[in-house]
Amino acid sequence: MDRASYFSDRANGMKRSVIRELLKLTNKPEIISFAGGLPAPVTFPVDYVKKAVNKVLDEEAGKALQYGATEGDPRLKGKLAEIMMKDGIDADPERVMVTTASQQGLELMAKVFFNPGDTCVVGLPTYLGGLQAIKSYGGVPVGVELDEHGMIPEKLVETLDRLEAEGRRPRLIYIIPDFQNPAGVTIPAERRRKIVEIAREREYIIVEDTPYRQIRFRGEHQPTFQSLAPERVLSLYTFSKIMLPGFRLGWAYGPDWLVDKMVMAKQSMDLCTPPFNQAITYHMLEAGALEAGLKETIKLYHHRCDLMLAELEKNLGDTPGVTWTKPEGGLFLWLTVPEGVSTDDIFEKAIEENVAYVPGSAFFPNNDNHRSMRLNFSYCDDDKIIEGCRRLGKLIKEVL
Ligand SMILES: Cc1ncc(COP(=O)(O)O)c(C=O)c1O
């Protein structure tokens, strides 16, 4: 039986992610894992959830346990617009669309934008789940190099020039502007304006994926792409990292003609994001859960990030050619080793030493970078960060 003959070309094009398979190894209890992207469970606002669940079940069970509108609960949409307004965006609740977290936003983006073979500009490195969504609809991610200030506008121009000359004009530019996953870098205002200018001049859509934006623990807030170019930016938000990931709740915001199309695409995907979760979230926001929780989350991640930076300095500070980014927020930093060492090759050794990271190759469309690794600092407690950095430092020094 030729099993592949049963499947669509799309399904046959889907590959098991080697990285995700590797990462299963990191679940062993003896391993200190800097590999995941998980928020710290102590930040979950359990008391607010309890109160809101009871309120919803006591007062509006009939509605909350029923199907809901594809666009989302209008009360929640109002609250989401308020969150954006506090961030300098002139947000219209009508243009908010609730999504089953931002991974669905990415899937919808891919569904409405890409025909097989269409190109899409992404940062290098970029979020693995974004690459998977783009590829699952036949999109072809084309990378533009980042530096410590995110996407480099001159490199963006070079890439657009090249693709346009080849007759492969990209459908959109995908950017993670704040504390980027995986590199932890943030695009400064001036660069954002340059990128917007380029997009305007050449009439490109920008997709701004910004799950970490509210987790800033130093430096200045930078304007959103949404506030700079509302006519051409689709923004994707999520509660996963700022409140809790288990509700699978996020939202998309952009020009009405674009959001309309996303809503149509969502209908056949899940009809609506669970109305129960939306109602609970609405009441939690009403009660101030986001502000209260964020304050603590930012404090904790600031501490853990600084501890990891200090421990890396202690264990690898005198090692020539080893560098790492110094994030102003978010959950990740990006460590680079000298030429000649492959973070893919030393991954198994790291597992033997009971420490784990994500090899940088996972975040490149062609898996062709082998000199970096992503380290998560949100999940492990202090002792684990200290011991994990010691093990990692020892391993890197040994292979050098
Ligand atoms: C850049 C980026 N976008 C989207 C997501 C998906 O998050 P969620 O579906 O939980 O909202 C993540 C998760 O880590 C991410 O890092």
Side-chain angles (χ1 to χ4, degrees):
M1 186 168 77
D2 177 11
R3 291 183 181 175
S5 69
Y6 289 97
F7 291 123
S8 65
D9 293 345
R10 171 180 301 147
N12 283 322
M14 292 172 187
K15 302 265 177 324
R16 260 184 191 283
S17 158
V18 177
I19 298 297
R20 295 225 193 263
E21 294 303 308
L22 274 182
L23 292 181
K24 284 186 190 158
L25 298 173
T26 69
N27 291 334
K28 288 193 292 184
E30 61 275 24
I31 290 188
I32 295 178
S33 179
F34 299 142
L38 304 183
V42 293
T43 64
F44 300 155
V46 179
D47 289 340
Y48 282 97
V49 176
K50 267 188 203 157
K51 278 191 197 127
V53 167
N54 286 333
K55 192 173 173 65
V56 169
L57 290 177
D58 289 344
E59 295 174 15
E60 51 188 87
K63 203 155 173 261
L65 299 178
Q66 187 55 280
Y67 287 105
T70 306
E71 293 85 343
D73 180 334
R75 297 173 306 173
L76 179 64
K77 285 173 35 162
K79 282 276 162 209
L80 302 177
E82 276 174 31
I83 293 175
M84 298 176 73
M85 281 182 225
K86 281 191 197 138
D87 195 14
I89 296 162
D90 185 17
D92 170 4
E94 286 303 309
R95 286 160 54 190
V96 173
M97 168 196 178
V98 175
T99 60
T100 306
S102 55
Q103 190 61 40
Q104 185 180 63
L106 289 168
E107 181 82 8
L108 290 171
M109 165 196 90
K111 193 174 178 186
V112 305
F113 281 107
F114 302 121
N115 290 319
D118 285 345
T119 61
C120 167
V121 168
V122 304
L124 270 186
T126 199
Y127 170 54
L128 174 60
L131 291 174
Q132 284 176 320
I134 293 165
K135 287 180 181 174
S136 72
Y137 284 88
V140 180
V142 178
V144 170
E145 218 177 295
L146 310 182
D147 62 14
E148 71 273 26
H149 302 301
M151 188 176 278
I152 305 171
E154 293 72 22
K155 301 271 179 195
L156 173 62
V157 170
E158 272 173 31
T159 305
L160 294 176
D161 280 348
R162 178 170 58 79
L163 290 172
E164 286 170 9
E166 291 169 0
R168 302 167 70 214
R169 182 184 154 88
R171 287 280 179 181
L172 58 89
I173 303 168
Y174 170 62
I175 302 185
I176 308 161
D178 307 288
F179 327 121
Q180 198 247 18
N181 180 4
V185 297
T186 298
I187 309 179
E190 208 36 53
R191 245 190 212 188
R192 293 181 193 223
R193 292 203 174 86
K194 268 195 197 146
I195 293 171
V196 161
E197 209 178 291
I198 296 162
R200 269 211 178 108
E201 212 170 89
R202 301 176 183 228
E203 301 197 344
Y204 280 107
I205 301 282
I206 295 174
V207 174
E208 162 181 57
D209 184 13
T210 189
Y212 309 101
R213 178 167 174 82
Q214 284 91 340
I215 308 174
R216 174 177 280 282
F217 39 72
R218 56 178 146 250
E220 300 279 307
H221 267 293
Q222 305 299 318
T224 55
F225 277 94
Q226 186 59 244
S227 66
L228 295 175
E231 84 287 0
R232 65 185 59 257
V233 174
L234 176 70
S235 303
L236 302 179
Y237 291 90
T238 174
F239 284 110
S240 290
K241 303 305 191 320
I242 58 175
M243 205 155 79
L244 77 172
F247 283 173
R248 310 305 299 130
L249 200 66
W251 71 103
Y253 185 88
D256 51 4
W257 57 275
L258 233 164
V259 173
D260 276 357
K261 205 49 110 181
M262 302 266 287
V263 171
M264 287 177 223
K266 180 175 161 73
Q267 269 163 2
S268 65
M269 217 177 254
D270 64 357
L271 296 178
C272 60
T273 294
F276 188 47
N277 299 356
Q278 294 189 58
I280 297 165
T281 304
Y282 167 74
H283 287 294
M284 286 173 67
L285 294 174
E286 272 279 284
L290 183 61
E291 294 82 359
L294 259 178
K295 229 198 260 167
E296 295 305 312
T297 304
I298 291 169
K299 215 191 304 174
L300 181 69
Y301 293 179
H302 188 177
H303 166 76
R304 289 186 174 174
C305 178
D306 282 356
L307 180 63
M308 185 174 271
L309 290 170
E311 290 303 309
L312 288 175
E313 187 59 40
K314 194 157 99 192
N315 290 286
L316 285 163
D318 57 356
T319 314
V322 181
T323 59
W324 50 88
T325 55
K326 302 191 175 52
E328 295 185 339
L331 273 65
F332 307 109
L333 61 83
W334 184 246
L335 183 141
T336 302
V337 294
E339 201 77 62
V341 181
S342 158
T343 53
D344 285 343
D345 294 348
I346 63 173
F347 182 79
E348 277 176 35
K349 274 204 189 95
I351 296 295
E352 279 164 27
E353 296 291 330
N354 288 330
V355 62
Y357 57 82
V358 185
S361 58
F363 306 101
F364 286 75
N366 303 318
N367 304 118
D368 51 0
N369 173 295
H370 308 287
R371 281 187 50 208
S372 300
M373 61 178 74
R374 188 190 75 178
L375 300 178
N376 166 272
F377 52 76
S378 61
Y379 189 72
C380 290
D381 63 22
D382 289 10
D383 290 347
K384 287 195 169 147
I385 290 177
I386 293 168
E387 178 56 21
C389 287
R390 193 193 64 75
R391 291 178 193 172
L392 198 60
K394 183 167 160 274
L395 169 73
I396 293 174
K397 280 183 164 154
E398 271 169 17
V399 294
L400 284 175

